[in-house]
Amino acid sequence: MTSYFRHYQAFHAIIETGTVTGAAERLGVSQPAISNLLAQLERRTRLKLFERNRGRLLPTPEAMVLYDEIDTVMRGLVHVNQAVVDLQNQKAGQLQVATNHAMAFGFMPGEIARFAADKPNLTVAFQSQYSAKIQEWVMAGLFEIGICELPVRHDGLEAKPFFFEILCALPDHSPLARHEVLTPSLLDDQPFIVMGADHMVTRRAREAFHNEGATLRIRCQTDLFRNALNLVKQGLGVTLVDPFTVATDPQQGYVLRRFTPRILLDVIIVTARGRPISAIGAQFLEQVSASMAALAAPETDRFEG
């Protein structure tokens, strides 16, 4: 195929343009070069490809069969060339991102949609999972970018940290809604909806209540901030919730208040150390980092529970 490529290219151009002159102009070569390539192709294939009639080349039936096959190849090459251009302009490729559940319900789909808006040939691999599994996926090369919670569990990961202030959500009919800022003392012995016992927000809340001598009365325990917020809407208690969940929620049936002492959620963007990231991945990483930074707490002091 390689040794015949220029011959097929010349033949295809003659059919497409109808003349040797047109083929020469399309390929940027001389007319004698096109005629020479055509003569060589007929000699090598032992096929008569054109009838000469008053200076015009009329393709034979055999030529049209050959043209159909070559045309498929040529069109494929056009797609390949366009793919190269798209990759150079970061308009194509595959975005591979895994994120924790809190960011998967609204924040990350919005980021992906914004990123893909001008990239019609972009494909996306997107999955949500718990933090430990996300880090395993990035280590294994299943995803280029992972967004999860601290701690970093593998030495082979590069991690960029962000810290987000946790808010307090309570039913909109709660008398506590009159307070602009809620404290463990104000929430003493109130029914609480918490994340798992080992979750950093639960540990830090427990420490805050303990330090003020208040009782953290756990009524419900769940594994997702969104589940906790939905339970608040049903009047089952109050909860501490992340900004990503409330940012994509209609915010009906509950009110939000600041909580002090401040509790932060530690989130990291992880990539595999020593493994080059694609141009598409790097571009998305820049976008999502800026978006996360806009939501992040202005300071980074936090509980280390």
Side-chain angles (χ1 to χ4, degrees):
M1 172 65 188
T2 302
S3 62
Y4 278 76
F5 177 75
R6 291 293 292 174
H7 303 80
Y8 291 147
Q9 192 179 36
F11 168 76
H12 184 267
I14 293 171
I15 296 287
E16 290 278 296
T17 64
T19 65
V20 169
T21 301
E25 291 176 352
R26 172 177 289 192
L27 298 181
V29 298
S30 66
Q31 293 184 37
I34 293 294
S35 298
N36 186 48
L37 287 169
L38 178 59
Q40 291 178 14
L41 182 62
E42 287 185 316
R43 186 165 59 252
R44 290 185 178 187
T45 60
R46 290 179 291 181
L47 294 172
K48 188 175 182 60
L49 299 175
F50 292 93
E51 296 285 352
R52 278 73 174 174
N53 185 3
R54 297 180 180 179
R56 293 184 57 81
L57 296 178
L58 302 178
T60 64
E62 292 81 4
M64 294 310 300
V65 172
L66 185 60
Y67 168 78
D68 287 340
E69 298 298 327
I70 294 174
D71 186 60
T72 300
V73 174
M74 293 300 174
R75 291 185 185 278
L77 288 174
V78 169
H79 289 305
V80 170
N81 290 335
Q82 185 59 53
V84 170
V85 172
D86 287 342
L87 287 169
Q88 290 171 338
N89 295 328
Q90 298 183 2
K91 300 291 186 182
Q94 184 177 56
L95 175 64
Q96 301 171 320
V97 58
T99 183
N100 60 358
H101 295 303
M103 299 175 71
F105 289 103
F107 174 81
M108 190 55 63
E111 288 295 305
I112 291 172
R114 182 160 67 94
F115 184 73
D118 63 344
K119 302 173 181 63
N121 295 320
L122 178 72
T123 59
V124 179
F126 170 54
Q127 184 63 271
S128 64
Q129 187 50 268
Y130 295 105
S131 294
K133 182 61 69 174
I134 289 172
Q135 295 188 30
E136 290 178 12
W137 284 348
V138 174
M139 281 293 297
L142 299 176
F143 289 87
E144 272 198 318
I145 300 168
I147 304 178
C148 56
E149 296 171 8
L150 280 171
V152 179
R153 301 175 184 273
H154 301 276
D155 292 338
L157 292 174
E158 296 282 357
K160 182 177 183 179
F162 298 83
F163 306 103
F164 301 95
E165 184 174 0
I166 292 295
L167 298 173
C168 187
L170 57 157
D172 53 11
H173 55 74
S174 171
L176 292 169
R178 70 178 184 272
H179 298 281
E180 291 299 318
V181 179
L182 295 173
T183 66
S185 297
L186 289 171
L187 296 172
D188 182 36
D189 206 36
Q190 292 290 318
F192 232 92
I193 304 156
V194 301
M195 300 289 281
D198 292 331
H199 193 276
M200 70 176 71
V201 171
T202 303
R203 296 198 317 268
R204 293 168 181 177
R206 189 181 294 114
E207 181 179 349
F209 274 73
H210 174 77
N211 289 342
E212 289 196 19
T215 299
L216 178 63
R217 180 160 70 89
I218 297 175
R219 185 178 188 188
C220 302
Q221 182 173 303
T222 184
D223 59 347
L224 297 176
F225 284 114
R226 186 163 294 275
N227 289 346
L229 189 59
N230 286 335
L231 291 171
V232 171
K233 295 177 185 180
Q234 299 303 315
L236 291 176
V238 301
T239 194
L240 297 174
V241 65
D242 72 295
F244 300 103
T245 298
V246 298
T248 57
D249 189 88
Q251 297 190 17
Q252 297 176 347
Y254 66 97
V255 294
L256 294 171
R257 294 292 182 264
R258 295 282 304 277
F259 181 85
T260 187
R262 190 173 65 163
I263 292 177
L264 298 183
L265 177 69
D266 307 345
V267 176
I268 49 177
I269 299 179
V270 294
T271 55
R273 179 176 291 131
R275 183 184 302 142
I277 191 168
S278 67
I280 282 291
Q283 187 183 7
F284 182 76
L285 193 59
E286 181 178 357
Q287 174 191 300
V288 77
S289 295
S291 297
M292 291 173 64
L295 290 173
E299 301 172 11
T300 59
D301 53 295
R302 62 193 188 280
F303 287 101
E304 294 292 353

